[in-house]
Amino acid sequence: MPVFAAREGIPPVVAGEAAAERSAPADGQPSAWTEVDLGKRLLDYYDTFMAQETQFLRSMCNGKLSEQACEDIAQEAFLRVVRKVAAAQLEPDVKIGAYLRTTSWNLAVDTLRAQKRTDLTDDTALVAAPNPQSEDIDPLKELVRPAIEAMPLSRRRTIVQLQSQGLDDAQISAALGIAPDRIHKDRYAAVSELRNELGKFIRDGHRKKTQRAKKDR
Amino acid sequence: MTVVRRFTEGSGGRPTPAVPAELLTLMDKLAGPPDVWDRPDGDFGPLSDLYELDIEARQEANSLYRIGSKALSRDELSTAADLLGSAAAAGHPGALFRLALVALRSGKDWIDNAWFLVAEAARHGHGDAQRLLTAPASCRPSPAGSAPLIEDTSFFEEVRLLLGVALPLIEPTPPGASPAPGQRPDTPDICHATDTDSPTAASGPALVPPTRHGPVPPPDHTPNRKRAHLTALAGGLPLSVPDM
């Protein structure tokens, strides 16, 4: 049976969740009844879960997530768990309510991390290279090279142009005179930097707009 | 609740559960409109292996893609940029494509970067991005005048318009032809990609229960940007093809 940590701030079973946590048969053996019942328990729990979880996430995240965002997270968590049930990936006697709320909480944490622009993969760890066997990389250069290095806009334009002509990564790297196993890393780094710049630009724009609105009052 | 539907796939040899029909209806509702790049199984296409992410991380990225897309539909650009950006950094082709739209909505200064993201999406196997990128070469009607398959039915048209790419973008694929560069041959069509009982679910993750990820990150006092809502184009987008 899966083991998972209870969340802080709420008891393991909350009001209205009892129906979702009906215990398994005494002999502990999975049966057709319990598997059907798992889906039914989820369905019965949906309205209660959505009402409670949205408010829970809203309060636990100190208002950093909008009510709509919290609802989106709860719905996504529910969908993920239902898909696991449908694919028979959960034991029939799992405490489905607690499992569901843990999934939701993890998703909320991921969302907040994304807002802080912390990657699901650590930015300091480079993604795998297409050709890891290549030996033509200067190890000293690798040490001093920052994990995220900007790709100039001019090079991004060039890459787009070459790619639009049908060139693949190997051909583009040859045209640019860079090692074939660098091109993916550089492009990855460029995407990572670009999204940071974009997020900052949008927030700065919002701040300026807000400040202008205050001055106009 | 007397009607149940039984999944026959994806159980990995375990007893297949019967799922209440009402639950399947709810699943369809929560899943939203068909989306080729909604990949709950974490399959992000031909470049998936280049990212050192386990299946759980890719599934998380897919969820961020879905939640970020909802924010994009509401024109909450800040949230959309963060969540789609996180999924894009995990190599999610659909997120790369929609992040390009976030850039385009942010202003004309971002068009070059948007093109770069479209190119990245194309490299990761996104068919719409590949068509946009090669538009000048493939801008011709198909002999039969048939509409091309659009993978991102919610946002493709807006991306195309903001990039200034002219239609028709017809890329007739003769029977038996090899897929476009970067396009995996078995890219599913819309129906296959969104079937909840698709075979891809069977090859999914091991039975790993969720564990808490840790404390909430410190707050970032940056409110979401609000602006006039730009309606995403809902529903299918069969492209009209003029007779020539």
Side-chain angles (χ1 to χ4, degrees):
Chain A
M1 177 177 168
V3 177
F4 45 87
R7 302 183 304 183
E8 296 174 0
I10 55 172
V13 178
V14 297
E17 192 182 324
E21 302 294 23
R22 281 201 296 270
S23 57
D27 59 5
Q29 295 299 314
S31 67
W33 182 83
T34 55
E35 287 186 336
V36 173
D37 187 59
L38 199 55
K40 186 177 183 312
R41 277 189 281 159
L42 265 177
L43 189 61
D44 291 343
Y45 184 44
Y46 177 71
D47 288 338
T48 302
F49 169 73
M50 286 304 300
Q52 292 180 341
E53 190 67 10
T54 301
Q55 294 308 312
F56 171 79
L57 294 178
R58 189 97 169 100
S59 62
M60 288 300 287
C61 297
N62 298 319
K64 293 311 300 171
L65 295 174
S66 69
E67 185 166 354
Q68 186 62 60
C70 292
E71 189 177 321
D72 290 346
I73 289 168
Q75 283 184 346
E76 178 68 17
F78 188 88
L79 182 61
R80 286 182 61 169
V81 172
V82 172
R83 280 172 166 160
K84 281 180 184 275
V85 170
Q89 292 177 338
L90 296 180
E91 297 296 334
D93 58 349
V94 66
K95 291 188 180 302
I96 197 68
Y99 189 94
L100 183 55
R101 287 182 295 129
T102 303
T103 301
S104 172
W105 174 249
N106 287 343
L107 200 49
V109 171
D110 282 338
T111 301
L112 289 166
R113 285 178 175 161
Q115 288 189 348
K116 298 294 290 179
R117 286 173 292 288
T118 303
D119 276 346
L120 292 165
T121 178
D122 188 351
D123 272 352
T124 58
L126 287 171
V127 292
N131 178 14
Q133 304 304 318
S134 176
E135 299 293 338
D136 58 350
I137 299 173
D138 180 354
L140 184 60
K141 201 173 178 180
E142 283 297 300
L143 285 175
V144 298
R145 180 191 175 96
I148 297 300
E149 183 177 86
M151 178 188 286
L153 184 58
S154 58
R155 174 157 287 190
R156 294 179 201 173
R157 284 198 195 105
T158 304
I159 285 178
V160 171
Q161 187 181 10
L162 294 173
Q163 194 176 332
S164 70
Q165 294 168 4
L167 274 63
D168 61 19
D169 269 5
Q171 293 165 320
I172 291 173
S173 61
L176 296 177
I178 59 176
D181 57 358
R182 278 247 68 92
I183 189 74
H184 176 70
K185 293 176 182 176
D186 286 355
R187 294 180 73 142
Y188 167 81
V191 169
S192 187
E193 184 188 80
L194 203 162
R195 69 149 169 146
N196 289 344
E197 290 174 352
L198 185 58
K200 185 174 181 299
F201 175 84
I202 293 169
R203 285 179 173 78
D204 287 349
H206 176 82
R207 282 197 200 97
K208 286 175 185 170
K209 197 180 284 184
T210 305
Q211 287 166 358
R212 274 201 302 272
K214 284 180 180 174
K215 283 180 183 175
D216 291 344
R217 286 176 191 165
Chain B
M1 192 178 308
T2 55
V3 178
V4 295
R5 281 157 58 182
R6 182 171 292 275
F7 281 85
T8 55
E9 301 174 288
S11 60
R14 302 180 58 208
T16 53
V19 178
E22 293 93 328
L23 191 58
L24 290 177
T25 303
L26 180 58
M27 283 174 70
D28 287 342
K29 182 184 167 190
L30 295 178
D35 180 1
V36 167
W37 289 107
D38 176 13
R39 299 293 175 90
D41 60 348
D43 179 2
F44 292 169
L47 300 189
S48 290
D49 292 342
L50 295 184
Y51 294 81
E52 294 176 343
L53 294 173
D54 59 22
I55 185 71
E56 286 285 327
R58 289 204 296 273
Q59 288 175 333
E60 294 290 340
N62 191 68
S63 287
L64 294 181
Y65 161 72
R66 285 176 45 79
I67 297 170
S69 296
K70 289 182 178 179
L72 182 60
S73 295
R74 296 190 296 267
D75 203 39
E76 296 171 358
L77 291 191
S78 178
T79 303
D82 291 337
L83 303 191
L84 292 174
S86 188
H92 193 297
L96 285 161
F97 188 76
R98 292 183 177 180
L99 189 61
L101 179 55
V102 175
L104 289 165
R105 285 188 187 178
S106 299
K108 290 182 178 176
D109 291 345
W110 286 89
I111 194 163
D112 283 331
N113 284 314
W115 269 117
F116 180 74
L117 289 168
V118 168
E120 274 297 276
R123 191 170 69 102
H124 284 72
H126 199 294
D128 295 341
Q130 290 167 352
R131 274 195 296 275
L132 287 170
L133 200 61
T134 58
S138 62
C139 190
R140 60 183 184 274
S142 66
S146 59
L149 173 67
I150 293 177
E151 294 181 358
D152 192 337
T153 56
S154 297
F155 296 107
F156 169 76
E157 186 65 5
E158 187 181 352
V159 172
R160 183 190 68 76
L161 289 170
L162 289 173
L163 286 174
V165 176
L167 279 181
L169 285 177
I170 304 303
E171 194 177 50
T173 304
S178 58
Q183 176 81 39
R184 59 179 189 168
D186 58 342
T187 298
D189 60 28
I190 288 175
C191 295
H192 291 161
T194 54
D195 280 352
T196 52
D197 54 348
S198 68
T200 52
S203 57
L207 304 181
V208 181
T211 53
R212 290 186 73 238
H213 286 191
V216 176
D220 179 357
H221 299 286
T222 48
N224 292 339
R225 183 183 185 211
K226 295 281 185 185
R227 52 172 249 185
H229 180 69
L230 294 175
T231 304
L233 298 170
L237 286 174
L239 302 181
S240 59
V241 180
D243 295 330
M244 292 187 70

